[in-house]
Amino acid sequence: MISIFCLIFVLSPAVQCAKILGVFPFPSVSHQIVFRPIWKELSRRGHQVTVITPMPLHDSSLVNLTEIDVSLGKDAPFPMDPWIFVTGNTWERLNFIVETGLHFIQLQLPKQPLQDLIKEDKPFDLVIFQHSFLYNIKKWGILFLGISSLGVFPHSHDSLGNPTHPVVSPDMMLASFSRFQSLLYNFWYRMLYYWYILPKADRIARKHFGDDMPYLGDIERNMSLLLVNNNPIIHAVRPNVPNIVEISQLHISEKKPLPQDIKDYLDSSTQGVVYFSLGSNVKSTYLSVEVRQEIIKALGELPYNVLWKWESDHLPDRPPNVLTRKWLPQQDILGHPNIKAFVTQGGLQSIEEAITNEVPLVGIPFITDQPSNIKRIVELGMGQMVEHQTLTKEKLKEAILEVAGDPEYKENVRKSKFIMVDQPMTGVDKAVWWIEYVIRHNGAKHLRSQGADMSFYEYFMIDVALFLLACFIAMYRLVAKIISKAKRFINSNKKVKRN
Ligand SMILES: *[C@@H]1O[C@H](CO)[C@@H](O)[C@H](O)[C@H]1NC(C)=O
Ligand SMILES: *[C@@H]1O[C@H](CO)[C@@H](O)[C@H](O)[C@H]1NC(C)=O
């Protein structure tokens, strides 16, 4: 049956059945849940999909899906203290992302199933990879397509020739900045990426894929298309070349029934419930004891019940109105009519879930895009921000009471939802359409910007600027010479007259 489909694929321009490899190695739930719906849907549509993932689904109903498990065990050691990621400055946090990413790649690459895939010489029609994970993806095929679970870093724009104006379209890592800082960041980031990260990742790749591979940076630049998870509410609009396509709300799923105990708790809390979760990367158990104590005191004084995703069995000094669970079905909880407010770290996925379910927010942002996401939420009147560095019982309690008590916040969330969901197709359908488009058009080279293949000096017209500067200097000197000659001539004329 499958081979008949493949035969049709070979004979007709329509994509019936392609062999697709997904490279999604980052061990973080909030990234994986964005990619999963895409690879599931591709396999349901009859493509033969193989994915490299640390969090396999093991779903036997997905008969066209092969999962290559690169999980690192329950407690994969970080190369450095994860608290740096939360409390460090921009440089330290970026360094953490880079070192952690490379560290995990080094742990995953020697795994047997991955080694088998590397040794096997079985090319795929398309390689979809988590951008920007620095694997030698060329090993597995010649067409690549990147997907980012959040915005993208400056080098990703460079690889497709997308303009990066430091003031019009500042980077997602910058929540508040001056124009000068943004310009400096743009330079500094590129030096870090091109002179440190890329060469290091290239050395690692060579160790595992063999030395006869092209430079990793050149492989990345041959990407056909980049899908970026940009939410039309949270992210400022920006100009994009045609092969950067914005998608959003990928992980929003159909409502499922709540577990009975949670349902009973929510149903019986007629005074209202505050849902508290700091997501999957910033665990509530990372909080310092002082901050945790302030949060517990604030929650204990609320006139509402609180449902807290707390990642350990015991919460010290748990107030009677607080119920904790290690894991909670967040989307379905936010859909319950008794939820009054959502206290969140401000990850993009959590915000999309809150907007979809019309729940106003209190943000305690920590990392990457979270501060800028929450800033935007506050600007749009959808919630309040409480900084973890200066969090006190009063501040948190006040923010929650304000957001849960004033219907204006919910109304603003509803307005944003109206904009967010008004799309020609769902995020998953859009992603799958573009993936099939790239296969149908053999890489869709017609979408590629000329800027992507220009050198640095051509792109910034440095040669033209230098030429104009030289012309200016020559002109200046010429005019200066003429003036001085003329002066001398006039002076000598005067002398002649006087004489
Ligand atoms: C698997 O792929 C075939 C075509 O190759 C398709 O007809 C079928 O619906 C797919 N099944 C599932 C469960 O994804
Ligand atoms: C990039 O693509 C071009 C054109 O298809 C090809 O000639 C070149 O070898 C590729 N470069 C790398 C590093 O894969």
Side-chain angles (χ1 to χ4, degrees):
M1 190 62 188
I2 287 168
S3 58
I4 293 173
F5 271 98
C6 290
L7 194 62
I8 294 170
F9 170 59
V10 172
L11 296 179
S12 78
V15 180
Q16 296 290 345
C17 161
K19 274 169 59 192
I20 298 174
L21 175 70
V23 183
F24 299 108
F26 197 62
S28 158
V29 182
S30 67
H31 294 264
Q32 296 289 325
I33 60 168
V34 175
F35 305 127
R36 254 180 216 159
I38 300 177
W39 79 61
K40 271 163 83 171
E41 187 56 26
L42 285 167
S43 81
R44 283 205 198 99
R45 294 199 188 185
H47 299 294
Q48 292 303 308
V49 181
T50 304
V51 283
I52 299 171
T53 170
M55 295 174 193
L57 294 165
H58 298 304
D59 180 347
S60 56
S61 73
L62 298 168
V63 293
N64 302 322
L65 178 68
T66 311
E67 290 172 311
I68 294 185
D69 185 351
V70 288
S71 54
L72 297 171
K74 195 135 183 58
D75 295 302
F78 281 100
M80 53 181 90
D81 182 3
W83 195 240
I84 293 172
F85 192 33
V86 176
T87 52
N89 57 32
T90 307
W91 153 249
E92 288 165 333
R93 284 185 287 132
L94 206 68
N95 187 45
F96 179 86
I97 300 177
V98 171
E99 294 301 336
T100 308
L102 293 177
H103 173 74
F104 286 150
I105 289 179
Q106 278 174 292
L107 293 181
Q108 288 170 339
L109 274 170
K111 298 222 161 241
Q112 198 52 50
L114 191 50
Q115 281 298 317
D116 292 344
L117 189 71
I118 292 171
K119 290 201 188 91
E120 220 172 290
D121 219 4
K122 215 173 62 173
F124 291 83
D125 299 315
L126 179 72
V127 183
I128 305 176
F129 69 108
Q130 172 174 9
H131 205 256
S132 62
F133 255 82
L134 297 157
Y135 270 56
N136 174 20
I137 42 182
K138 194 168 189 215
K139 173 81 202 170
W140 294 304
I142 48 166
L143 290 189
F144 331 119
L145 182 146
I147 308 185
S148 171
S149 54
L150 55 165
V152 288
F153 288 106
H155 72 269
S156 320
H157 293 295
D158 294 351
S159 57
L160 293 174
N162 206 35
T164 49
H165 190 297
V167 179
V168 178
S169 323
D171 192 68
M172 62 174 167
M173 292 285 282
L174 303 168
S176 55
F177 55 90
S178 68
R179 287 177 295 168
F180 184 63
Q181 282 168 331
S182 183
L183 180 69
L184 276 189
Y185 173 86
N186 264 268
F187 276 115
W188 166 76
Y189 177 87
R190 285 179 169 89
M191 290 199 296
L192 176 74
Y193 185 77
Y194 294 116
W195 292 350
Y196 175 70
I197 302 175
L198 252 184
K200 183 164 177 181
D202 185 70
R203 283 195 298 277
I204 294 172
R206 259 162 228 285
K207 227 169 37 199
H208 295 276
F209 288 88
D211 212 15
D212 56 345
M213 56 175 273
Y215 184 56
L216 212 47
D218 295 335
I219 298 177
E220 186 175 35
R221 292 191 89 88
N222 262 10
M223 165 169 62
S224 298
L225 191 113
L226 180 60
L227 295 170
V228 182
N229 196 9
N230 251 19
N231 178 301
I233 300 296
I234 303 298
H235 298 104
V237 291
R238 57 157 301 135
N240 280 326
V241 290
N243 56 352
I244 291 192
V245 175
E246 297 189 342
I247 48 176
S248 67
Q249 304 154 70
L250 287 161
H251 74 294
I252 301 294
S253 55
E254 303 258 304
K255 289 243 148 25
K256 286 183 284 299
L258 287 163
Q260 198 56 44
D261 57 333
I262 300 293
K263 183 175 182 320
D264 292 344
Y265 181 75
L266 291 173
D267 284 345
S268 62
S269 305
T270 45
Q271 73 277 40
V273 183
V274 171
Y275 175 59
F276 189 111
S277 167
L278 299 181
S280 54
N281 292 327
V282 181
K283 303 219 170 6
S284 309
T285 41
Y286 286 177
L287 295 169
S288 69
V289 179
E290 299 78 47
V291 172
R292 192 179 73 210
Q293 285 304 334
E294 293 295 307
I295 292 176
I296 289 172
K297 278 189 252 159
L299 298 180
E301 290 181 14
L302 293 174
Y304 308 115
N305 279 342
V306 177
L307 192 52
W308 186 346
K309 178 177 159 276
W310 171 258
E311 297 82 4
S312 91
D313 289 315
H314 175 65
L315 174 64
D317 309 318
R318 182 175 63 83
N321 65 333
V322 175
L323 178 72
T324 67
R325 286 283 184 279
K326 280 190 193 168
W327 179 85
L328 286 162
Q330 179 161 301
Q331 290 198 43
D332 302 318
I333 288 172
L334 290 172
H336 194 280
N338 286 347
I339 295 288
K340 290 273 177 200
F342 174 19
V343 183
T344 172
Q345 86 290 7
L348 185 55
Q349 280 75 42
S350 290
I351 290 176
E352 287 186 343
E353 291 170 16
I355 297 176
T356 306
N357 292 294
E358 303 177 5
V359 179
L361 300 139
V362 174
I364 310 178
F366 289 86
I367 53 178
T368 42
D369 57 341
Q370 294 165 6
S372 52
N373 292 348
I374 295 296
K375 208 172 138 230
R376 184 81 183 132
I377 292 290
V378 175
E379 278 167 15
L380 293 170
M382 294 198 282
Q384 294 256 329
M385 167 151 79
V386 180
E387 287 175 335
H388 72 91
Q389 298 90 334
T390 57
L391 188 145
T392 60
K393 180 194 91 175
E394 276 73 30
K395 278 190 194 163
L396 181 61
K397 185 179 155 193
E398 215 171 275
I400 296 175
L401 288 177
E402 161 87 12
V403 166
D406 186 345
E408 188 82 14
Y409 289 95
K410 197 178 173 76
E411 190 48 42
N412 289 334
V413 179
R414 205 173 283 145
K415 281 185 200 153
S416 292
K417 178 185 173 182
F418 187 50
I419 296 171
M420 187 175 86
V421 300
D422 197 359
Q423 303 274 346
M425 50 175 109
T426 67
V428 176
D429 283 342
K430 192 173 178 189
V432 168
W433 191 87
W434 277 103
I435 290 168
E436 293 184 340
Y437 182 89
V438 164
I439 301 172
R440 273 201 300 277
H441 297 285
N442 197 20
K445 290 209 176 61
H446 56 279
L447 296 182
R448 190 170 172 84
S449 160
Q450 298 175 32
D453 301 312
M454 283 177 185
S455 61
F456 176 80
Y457 75 89
E458 282 173 316
Y459 189 90
F460 287 102
M461 299 200 292
I462 291 173
D463 47 350
V464 177
L466 287 177
F467 174 72
L468 288 178
L469 186 69
C471 288
F472 178 77
I473 291 172
M475 199 80 128
Y476 176 80
R477 295 183 76 170
L478 188 69
V479 172
K481 215 170 210 166
I482 291 172
I483 290 175
S484 81
K485 276 243 165 84
K487 266 191 191 155
R488 230 179 288 151
F489 180 72
I490 292 167
N491 282 347
S492 62
N493 262 4
K494 276 185 196 157
K495 265 185 213 154
V496 171
K497 267 187 198 159
R498 247 182 268 144
N499 286 349

